Amino acid sequence: MKTVLIVTRTFGKYSSEPIDLLKNNGFDLRWSDSLDPDILKNVDAIILGTGKLSGDIIQNSSLKIIARNGVGVDNVDLKTATQMGIPVTITVNANTISVAELTMGLIFVLSRKIVAVHNELYERKRFSSSIGVELFGKILGIIGFGAIGKETAKRALCLGMKVLAYDPFVDKQTMAQYSVECVDMETLLKTSDFVSLHLPLNQSTRKLIGKKEFEMMKKTAFLINTSRGGIVDEVALVEALRQNQIAGAALDAFEIEPLPEDSVLYNCPNLILTPHIGAHTYEAIYKMNMMAAQSVVDFFNKKLPKHIANGEVAEKLLKQGFSQ
Ligand code: NAD
């Protein structure tokens, strides 16, 4: 009997279907709150949340497949997994709509200062008059025009916003099909009223948005990051907000999570923080859980799981006789 270790708090919490899917296919399930190297020496598969799976742990484990319960792979040492021939699967599109909707929510919150006025009224009983901005006619600049970037663009266009995008891997024609204008990053930063990040964290995107980028943005502009912490230089962001270099920002992802108690982000003006809730909807959790469980089932049935992040391993599996 194959054993699957589940290291993500939401798996099977709101629906038993993902658990049933694994059990009905003969898997033994184990649960853990942490990535204990000793436990990982005795399991065949892992369904992984956001915990960091280092190269060392992977190398000393008995894992045959790593199924991410999400789309980012920045918490998995992909190089080691690839060297060891271990497929790392992701749950593409399962949380796309949820993240795009949260992004729009944060845009609304920033544009009308909803959290600030709520706090004034609720905590200080002050009926303050606050002036916001309309979204209609404003420019949304999207950095990273993948699944979430596209869904965010569709929603912004419905509100009468103009949408620009920068993505070195997506062509002008594709963007035009979505009624989005393809621009370079400098143009996007200089002209957008809202800049929203929807790109992966990797070596080339770490601290992509820092002091220089904030200086390019309009003083009336807002930054929204529902992608990954680490893409935004948090110290430079706080400085930009304190100096009124930009009007405000909203972050759902942080360089260190959970956000440390001494983070520079606390007590910063015009900053909205949400605790990495982009994918936290019943719908997204259900889809992610089912896709992750299905990847494990497929793999042990010698069927190539959908959405393998390390393509080299997918090719090897096909050569070994896995069906598509
Ligand atoms: P995706 O792979 O569909 O799209 C990412 C896009 O970023 C791609 O089109 C890629 O070409 C582009 N890109 C890569 N490098 C770039 C660069 N240097 N500059 C500009 N664009 C670049 O991924 P997605 O599903 O749209 O997810 C986007 C981000 O959202 C990821 O970082 C993911 O981890 C994050 N995410 C966050 C949450 C959350 O809970 N907040 C949930 C899901 C995904």
Side-chain angles (χ1 to χ4, degrees):
M1 190 183 253
K2 302 285 183 206
T3 306
V4 185
L5 180 70
I6 294 156
V7 193
T8 172
R9 270 175 287 169
T10 55
F11 191 85
K13 193 170 172 187
Y14 307 109
S15 162
S16 62
E17 275 183 61
I19 295 175
D20 295 342
L21 177 62
L22 289 171
K23 285 190 174 165
N24 294 341
N25 278 280
F27 291 96
D28 180 26
L29 306 194
R30 289 178 68 181
W31 307 77
S32 175
D33 285 338
S34 65
L35 290 162
D36 183 332
D38 288 333
I39 301 178
L40 282 155
K41 281 178 189 153
N42 296 302
V43 295
D44 301 287
I46 184 170
I47 293 186
L48 176 70
T50 50
K52 199 160 176 54
L53 200 50
S54 68
D56 262 7
I57 299 182
I58 297 173
Q59 233 157 19
N60 294 306
S61 77
S62 51
L63 290 172
K64 318 284 183 307
I65 176 170
I66 298 166
R68 269 281 289 119
N69 193 48
V71 284
V73 285
D74 46 284
N75 59 326
V76 179
D77 187 327
L78 210 55
K79 199 172 155 199
T80 306
T82 306
Q83 278 164 359
M84 294 184 66
I86 302 171
V88 179
T89 62
I90 51 175
T91 56
V92 171
N93 283 340
N95 52 28
T96 303
I97 290 173
S98 294
V99 182
E101 288 182 357
L102 176 71
T103 304
M104 294 314 298
L106 294 173
I107 290 175
F108 278 116
V109 162
L110 287 169
S111 66
R112 302 303 295 271
K113 304 178 185 165
I114 292 172
V115 171
V117 291
H118 164 83
N119 289 345
E120 282 282 293
L121 189 55
Y122 196 82
E123 288 169 10
R124 293 182 207 100
K125 300 194 171 61
R126 267 183 38 195
F127 216 76
S128 65
S129 57
S130 155
I131 308 293
V133 290
E134 283 186 352
L135 300 182
F136 184 84
K138 296 292 185 305
I139 298 176
L140 170 65
I142 292 179
I143 302 183
F145 199 64
I148 298 170
K150 289 181 180 118
E151 287 301 323
T152 303
K154 283 189 210 166
R155 283 153 181 78
L157 289 163
C158 290
L159 297 170
M161 297 182 85
K162 179 179 173 184
V163 183
L164 312 178
Y166 165 71
D167 188 323
F169 308 103
V170 177
D171 60 39
K172 216 177 172 170
Q173 289 74 17
T174 306
M175 290 187 191
Q177 282 165 14
Y178 286 83
S179 306
V180 167
E181 190 184 327
C182 178
V183 292
D184 58 47
M185 194 155 107
E186 191 172 328
T187 307
L188 185 145
L189 291 169
K190 284 184 174 166
T191 53
S192 298
D193 300 297
F194 295 84
V195 173
S196 194
L197 308 182
H198 301 288
L199 67 166
L201 173 65
N202 54 41
Q203 275 181 350
S204 66
T205 64
R206 189 170 287 282
K207 298 206 174 158
L208 185 77
I209 307 296
K211 188 174 186 294
K212 189 169 96 200
E213 289 68 31
F214 292 124
E215 281 169 2
M216 284 186 211
M217 287 172 68
K218 294 185 195 174
K219 285 199 179 338
T220 51
F222 298 93
L223 174 80
I224 302 98
N225 185 16
T226 58
S227 60
R228 281 289 181 266
I231 296 175
V232 176
D233 180 335
E234 293 176 353
V235 173
L237 171 65
V238 171
E239 193 56 22
L241 289 167
R242 290 199 192 283
Q243 302 296 327
N244 296 316
Q245 191 83 54
I246 62 170
L251 307 178
D252 185 50
F254 308 96
E255 190 152 12
I256 303 171
E257 294 184 7
L259 196 59
E261 278 184 29
D262 61 353
S263 169
V264 290
L265 297 173
Y266 291 117
N267 299 316
C268 177
N270 304 319
L271 179 61
I272 304 291
L273 308 176
T274 53
H276 208 141
I277 57 161
H280 286 196
T281 62
Y282 293 113
E283 294 84 354
I285 289 168
Y286 174 78
K287 283 185 267 182
M288 289 193 296
N289 287 183
M290 289 301 280
M291 284 176 81
Q294 191 62 52
S295 294
V296 173
V297 171
D298 286 347
F299 177 79
F300 287 104
N301 282 330
K302 289 209 109 188
K303 185 169 186 272
L304 198 70
K306 279 185 190 157
H307 312 304
I308 296 179
N310 42 356
E312 270 176 57
V313 176
E315 281 167 31
K316 274 190 197 159
L317 294 176
L318 283 172
K319 282 185 193 145
Q320 287 168 20
F322 275 65
S323 65
Q324 250 177 335

